[in-house]
Amino acid sequence: MAAQPRRNRVSDPDMSSPHIRKPVSVQREMFTVLLALVPGITAYVWQIGAGILVNLVLASLTALAAEALVLKLRARPVAITVTDGSALVTAWLVVLALPSIVPWWLTVLAVLVAIVGAKHLYGGIGQNPFNPAMAAYCAMIVAYPALMSQWPAIGNTDFTTQWHLILGGERAIDGLTGATALDAMRTGLRGHTDVTSILSSSAFGFVGGRGWEWIALGHLLGGLFLLATRTISWRQPLSFIIGLGLTASVFWLIAPERFPSPLFHLASGGAMLAAFFILTDPVTSSTTPRGKLIFAVGVGIIAWFVRTFGAYPEGIAFGVLLMNLCVPLIDRSTQPATFGQRKEKRP
Amino acid sequence: MSLPHLFRFPGGIQPDAHKKESSEQPIRPVPLPARLAVPLVQSSQGSARTIVTVGDKVLKGQCIGEAEGNAGTAIHAPTSGRVTEIGRYPMAHPSGLDTLAIVIEPDGEERWIAREPLDMASASHEELILRVQASGIVGMGGAAFPSHIKANSKIDTLIINGAECEPWISCDDRLMRERSADIVTGARILRRLTGARRVLIGIEDNKPEAITAMKLVVQAAADDGGEISVITVPTRYPTGGQKQLIRVLTGFEIASNQRSSSFGVQCFNVGTAHAVCRALVHGEAMVSRVVTVTGNVEHPGNYEVLLGTAVADLIELCVAKPGTERTLMGGPLMGFTLPRLDAPITKSSNCIIAASNTLFPPAPPEQPCIRCGSCAQSCPTGLLPFELYWSSRAKNYDGAVHYNISECIECGCCAYVCPAHIPLVDYFRFAKSEIRARNQEKRAADQARARFEARSARLERDKAEKAARLTAKAAETRAALAANKDAATDANDAALIAAAVARTQAQSQAQPPASGQNGGATPPEPSI
Ligand code: SF4
Ligand code: SF4
């Protein structure tokens, strides 16, 4: 009756503890994130037009194909990683960061930069230091500044026109493209117009860019859903909002005619998308609790400075990449104290 | 009465409890098995020395192994019968290695040896401590630390651990519901031994019946100077870990290199307190314990199991259902898969789980770590498990040490929450054993070097002494020659000197310089 002794081995997880696991998986987390992007995308289609859906399909297919190919070349298990959903999340974020009327090849290129360059050249999921979507955005804005600054004009949601632009059609037609709120604000301020008169222009809505503020609201809703399902930590969104909001507040209080309000900053550009979807990327954010706070506050502050004084209207992507660079340092200096070494011995 | 202030420990998880499967039936006896194999090693600190021989008749509770040394604890015959064998039996351990055990064939009469309760009023402290040791009492929560050592320290706060935080296990729950009076009596004795000012009995809030039962006993006899309180603690694994419970109840955080007694705190499991009461008040040595048998079995529940009963006997009694793939000892978070079912129940075996793939699904394939930090958020020790994982995987053991791998208590919280399904604890166990091996090698090398250096020094010293002796001798010879100058011829003189020189040379050749050979790779044999 005595069974043969079977030794536990490192590679035999069925034999050693723990014998139970929480029902969580990378795949589940990624698809929850995709679901949370739906409100923002819906608002996008409603306000700007359905052109973005073309980009989403195109980017998704490119991402999956690129991911599968690279994994195969690197002799890694293909099926389990391609289906984990992380490539799709990257692809959707790239699309949401780009103007939705960029020609199709720019979308494809951006996704390739994200998946092949920013993710796999560094060793694949878990190893990449830079947020792939933000790296792709920055590469594109540096390489194609003109295309990257042509945003669809609000009020012109005609799908045929957008389809035509995506296919690479003639772009120099008036009324097809328009300035974003951040653009208008920057140009206006450079021209020494004061904030109040800039805000009265047609590019602006209630608090941010006309139309765009609804998209921001959609992303905020999606973000709250991610918080409610505990898919993301509250640390990055909150501290990013504080970092950007507080910096904006300080300058706005000093000179309200020269600096727009914190609310404007938070409702414009990619602030909400970044707060809930970009900064919370587990791989490239800081991993320690205090590190997450520092990381996101840093992005918020840098974003404000680039938006206000930099060469590009939107500064979040640069903020993210810069803070990505600092993550190893942040992680190292915020290593939590272990049990028994913590300060809060007896409150 | 004001609510006690409770403290938090970092991390922790809240898995499904699965207590009801086994906790709703009273503790039941187990029919006498055909034989009982009682291992000599029952405590974490020492072993027992056999004092019976094959063929001896023994009575239930009779000492069959004496405590070896100060830290050892005695073992006793779990029933009356005959010693049939003293041989090697498999241990209840993940390795499945053998250990020495005394095998007893029951005579079916369950005849106790004369029980000698201590007169608590007159017994001295030393008598009580000796009796705890002689009754073979060790921590029953799993660590099996000898209780007489812990009970022999002077402290302020005595903690009785009834948290029972691991899923599926309910033996402490049942014990508290059914034998609360004995537990509280045991706690009182332990308080007397340790001189504790207060006794805190911590129970997780998912055991309301146990809490009520314990409170009833404590309130019924609120007498002997000093407070005993039953404290309800939130259900969160691993609250039942000794250091975690101490943190929750007292606020003290005890680091891995510190002892709780230096904070004036000592912690005993409820089962241990119960055993102390049985031993001192009723004169019954530790011969059985309550074991939860649960999981994929027809009759889950708690059983009063004689020590030495084979796990297989329990599984047979409770009838494993089809689909049982393996058998766990302990809970699903820290327990291990039993390599063989003929391993006997020991004083620290609290739970047996028949595991099917439905109840305990096999691990999904391991995916790359996405650095999500969930593991760090769940770690009760405040470690960064993913850093430990990256270091361990890269065999960068210095990195693992930097991230405090030695502090890891292998509680399994990190692996439980990991969305990439990485068997983190397996990596840590492996890295720890590698680090241990490396440290041992280093220590051995250090010792060898120290030995070698000591020997070289000794040889040097011997050589120097010998040279000094020879010089002295040569001087003596010369002096003698000088004294005999008149009588001796020059030729004689020369011959004597030549002989002395030759002797010196011969000796120095027989004893080569110690440091000379091959850079010291092979230490020279010492010359006499
Ligand atoms: S929980 Fe798993 S995937 Fe997440 S950081 Fe820890 S080890 Fe990596
Ligand atoms: S097993 Fe170790 S690293 Fe993992 S949670 Fe427990 S103490 Fe922390």
Side-chain angles (χ1 to χ4, degrees):
Chain A
M1 183 211 81
Q4 271 302 314
R6 260 170 77 194
R7 305 217 38 178
N8 283 346
R9 283 169 295 130
V10 194
S11 54
D12 194 353
D14 290 348
M15 296 289 285
S16 47
S17 63
H19 304 273
I20 47 173
R21 265 159 231 94
K22 203 176 176 180
V24 286
S25 65
V26 176
Q27 193 178 36
R28 197 153 135 164
E29 288 191 6
M30 293 297 170
F31 281 96
T32 312
V33 171
L34 291 180
L35 192 65
L37 281 171
V38 170
I41 293 173
T42 311
Y44 206 116
V45 173
W46 168 45
Q47 287 295 325
I48 318 283
I52 191 170
L53 299 179
V54 179
N55 294 349
L56 282 174
V57 172
L58 188 63
S60 302
L61 295 178
T62 311
L64 291 178
E67 177 101 346
L69 194 71
V70 179
L71 285 169
K72 209 171 168 69
L73 288 178
R74 295 179 61 212
R76 295 295 157 94
V78 176
I80 189 165
T81 309
V82 168
T83 54
D84 73 6
S86 64
L88 285 181
V89 169
T90 302
W92 288 25
L93 291 176
V94 167
V95 167
L96 286 168
L98 301 183
S100 57
I101 49 167
V102 290
W104 64 271
W105 54 264
L106 199 142
T107 303
V108 171
L109 188 64
V111 170
L112 287 179
V113 167
I115 299 281
V116 181
K119 186 174 173 186
H120 278 289
L121 281 188
Y122 287 100
I125 188 168
Q127 318 242 28
N128 47 308
F130 297 109
N131 184 304
M134 292 299 98
Y137 173 87
C138 288
M140 291 305 112
I141 206 165
V142 170
Y144 305 99
L147 286 175
M148 286 291 287
S149 58
Q150 290 171 352
W151 289 79
I154 292 291
N156 189 350
T157 57
D158 178 32
F159 181 69
T160 333
T161 322
Q162 294 186 349
W163 173 249
H164 173 73
L165 289 174
I166 290 169
L167 287 183
E170 178 62 54
R171 308 180 78 82
I173 306 161
D174 240 18
L176 283 190
T177 65
T180 64
L182 285 173
D183 256 330
M185 180 63 72
R186 194 158 137 272
T187 326
L189 288 175
R190 298 256 152 110
H192 300 288
T193 323
D194 65 291
V195 170
T196 330
S197 25
I198 300 173
L199 282 178
S200 61
S201 103
S202 66
F204 296 90
F206 302 101
V207 284
R210 192 151 64 85
W212 297 99
E213 53 198 14
W214 290 105
I215 299 169
L217 196 64
H219 289 319
L220 176 64
L221 280 182
L224 293 179
F225 167 71
L226 289 182
L227 281 177
T229 54
R230 294 173 167 267
T231 312
I232 56 170
S233 157
W234 55 269
R235 289 189 167 83
Q236 294 101 323
L238 191 73
S239 47
F240 170 77
I241 289 170
I242 289 175
L244 179 60
L246 216 60
T247 318
S249 302
V250 168
F251 285 88
W252 175 61
L253 287 173
I254 295 172
E257 72 289 347
R258 285 184 40 225
F259 299 103
S261 75
L263 209 56
F264 168 80
H265 272 287
L266 290 173
S268 306
M272 286 300 120
L273 185 70
F276 293 100
F277 295 91
I278 306 272
L279 299 187
T280 49
D281 168 31
V283 178
T284 56
S285 169
S286 171
T287 44
T288 64
R290 272 190 304 147
K292 285 178 176 151
L293 299 178
I294 297 174
F295 172 78
V297 165
V299 176
I301 296 175
I302 298 175
W304 186 88
F305 276 96
V306 177
R307 277 178 175 188
T308 310
F309 303 111
Y312 301 98
E314 179 53 298
I316 294 177
F318 293 99
V320 170
L321 293 193
L322 266 174
M323 291 311 287
N324 282 161
L325 269 180
C326 305
V327 160
L329 185 71
I330 297 175
D331 277 359
R332 218 171 312 128
S333 47
T334 54
Q335 189 182 341
T338 58
F339 192 74
Q341 313 291 338
R342 307 188 304 161
K343 283 201 201 74
E344 45 184 297
K345 275 224 161 126
R346 276 204 91 151
Chain B
M1 216 174 81
S2 71
L3 277 175
H5 180 63
L6 297 182
F7 299 83
R8 269 187 66 95
F9 60 88
I13 53 174
Q14 291 174 312
D16 293 341
H18 287 291
K19 303 272 194 189
K20 291 271 180 285
E21 282 87 338
S22 58
S23 66
E24 298 313 300
Q25 296 241 26
I27 300 170
R28 284 167 278 178
V30 174
L32 270 179
R35 58 158 193 231
L36 297 159
V38 187
L40 290 173
V41 181
Q42 294 271 359
S43 103
S44 62
Q45 304 294 308
S47 147
R49 186 180 336 108
T50 326
I51 55 166
V52 287
T53 48
V54 173
D56 281 3
K57 288 234 178 262
V58 290
L59 294 172
K60 182 168 182 148
Q62 181 183 333
C63 183
I64 54 175
E66 265 177 0
E68 211 166 28
N70 236 348
T73 47
I75 57 169
H76 305 81
T79 183
S80 56
R82 204 168 53 87
V83 177
T84 56
E85 188 190 348
I86 299 174
R88 304 200 69 82
Y89 263 73
M91 263 194 290
H93 187 268
S95 67
L97 292 176
D98 290 347
T99 179
L100 209 56
I102 300 176
V103 182
I104 292 170
E105 197 181 87
D107 57 14
E109 291 173 27
E110 283 270 75
R111 230 165 349 111
W112 272 93
I113 194 167
R115 278 166 272 191
E116 293 165 14
L118 283 178
D119 176 12
M120 297 308 277
S122 65
S124 71
H125 176 85
E126 283 66 33
E127 272 175 274
L128 295 178
I129 292 285
L130 270 180
R131 176 61 76 90
V132 171
Q133 181 177 21
S135 304
I137 298 176
V138 300
M140 296 176 86
F145 193 87
S147 300
H148 65 275
I149 300 181
K150 278 167 89 171
N152 204 11
S153 55
K154 285 283 161 258
I155 53 165
D156 170 75
T157 304
L158 173 66
I159 288 178
I160 303 296
N161 186 347
E164 196 163 55
C165 60
E166 272 227 43
W168 293 93
I169 310 179
S170 64
C171 55
D172 290 350
D173 184 6
R174 275 322 310 184
L175 200 70
M176 288 187 283
R177 293 196 211 183
E178 297 177 35
R179 305 179 191 169
S180 44
D182 276 359
I183 296 173
V184 174
T185 308
R188 289 221 168 83
I189 298 171
L190 287 168
R191 177 177 64 191
R192 172 174 160 194
L193 290 174
T194 54
R197 178 178 56 86
R198 55 173 184 166
V199 182
L200 308 178
I201 305 177
I203 308 173
E204 277 192 347
D205 56 13
N206 62 359
K207 290 180 268 295
E209 297 90 348
I211 294 170
T212 316
M214 293 293 288
K215 279 196 168 151
L216 225 66
V217 179
V218 168
Q219 278 156 11
D223 52 351
D224 48 332
E227 91 195 67
I228 298 189
S229 18
V230 175
I231 299 178
T232 311
V233 298
T235 298
R236 191 157 62 100
Y237 176 85
T239 300
Q242 184 165 309
K243 293 192 170 168
Q244 281 71 33
L245 188 62
I246 291 176
R247 162 75 188 166
V248 170
L249 293 178
T250 68
F252 289 126
E253 274 199 16
I254 300 161
S256 62
N257 55 359
Q258 293 169 317
R259 283 167 188 278
S260 65
S261 56
S262 48
F263 289 78
V265 185
Q266 204 64 273
C267 181
F268 293 88
N269 175 263
V270 284
T272 316
H274 173 257
V276 166
C277 167
R278 296 311 299 177
L280 275 57
V281 179
H282 304 274
E284 292 174 5
M286 193 189 263
V287 293
S288 68
R289 66 156 299 143
V290 180
V291 179
T292 304
V293 185
T294 184
N296 197 40
V297 288
E298 297 283 355
H299 312 291
N302 285 287
Y303 296 86
E304 181 79 46
V305 181
L306 296 179
L307 301 178
T309 305
V311 171
D313 291 341
L314 290 178
I315 294 284
E316 201 179 319
L317 175 73
C318 300
V319 190
K321 289 195 247 182
T324 301
E325 292 285 326
R326 54 198 193 281
T327 306
L328 311 181
M329 179 171 267
L333 284 159
M334 289 184 86
F336 55 92
T337 307
L338 276 169
R340 355 187 354 175
L341 293 185
D342 50 352
I345 294 292
T346 67
K347 292 173 181 176
S348 56
S349 322
N350 51 3
C351 183
I352 300 292
I353 302 176
S356 66
N357 283 346
T358 327
L359 293 176
F360 300 91
E366 182 179 341
Q367 281 171 271
C369 166
I370 54 166
R371 302 181 69 90
C372 64
S374 301
C375 49
Q377 263 167 37
S378 74
C379 177
T381 314
L383 303 178
L384 298 173
F386 56 89
E387 295 286 8
L388 295 176
Y389 158 73
W390 289 104
S391 311
S392 306
R393 219 175 83 123
K395 302 222 179 338
N396 167 13
Y397 297 125
D398 291 330
V401 169
H402 169 80
Y403 285 107
N404 303 312
I405 193 166
S406 61
E407 309 260 321
C408 168
I409 56 173
E410 297 178 19
C411 65
C413 291
C414 52
Y416 175 79
V417 299
C418 176
H421 309 130
I422 302 173
L424 293 162
V425 187
D426 289 0
Y427 279 99
F428 304 160
R429 271 191 282 255
F430 186 75
K432 279 182 182 179
S433 69
E434 290 289 291
I435 292 168
R436 236 183 338 261
R438 196 179 68 168
N439 288 347
Q440 253 157 27
E441 262 165 39
K442 188 168 173 303
R443 212 170 310 129
D446 284 350
Q447 276 167 2
R449 182 152 27 80
R451 256 199 319 273
F452 172 66
E453 275 162 10
R455 183 152 61 196
S456 307
R458 200 183 64 233
L459 293 180
E460 283 292 344
R461 203 178 54 235
D462 286 356
K463 202 176 99 189
E465 276 170 10
K466 256 177 198 151
R469 265 204 311 279
L470 287 176
T471 324
K473 209 160 193 177
E476 223 172 77
T477 316
R478 232 175 275 121
L481 283 177
N484 295 340
K485 196 146 199 167
D486 295 342
T489 62
D490 279 15
N492 252 345
D493 201 1
L496 269 174
I497 290 172
V501 168
R503 245 192 343 259
T504 315
Q505 271 170 1
Q507 290 216 350
S508 65
Q509 260 159 27
Q511 185 192 323
S515 57
Q517 300 204 340
N518 301 339
T522 44
E525 286 301 313
S527 56
I528 314 300

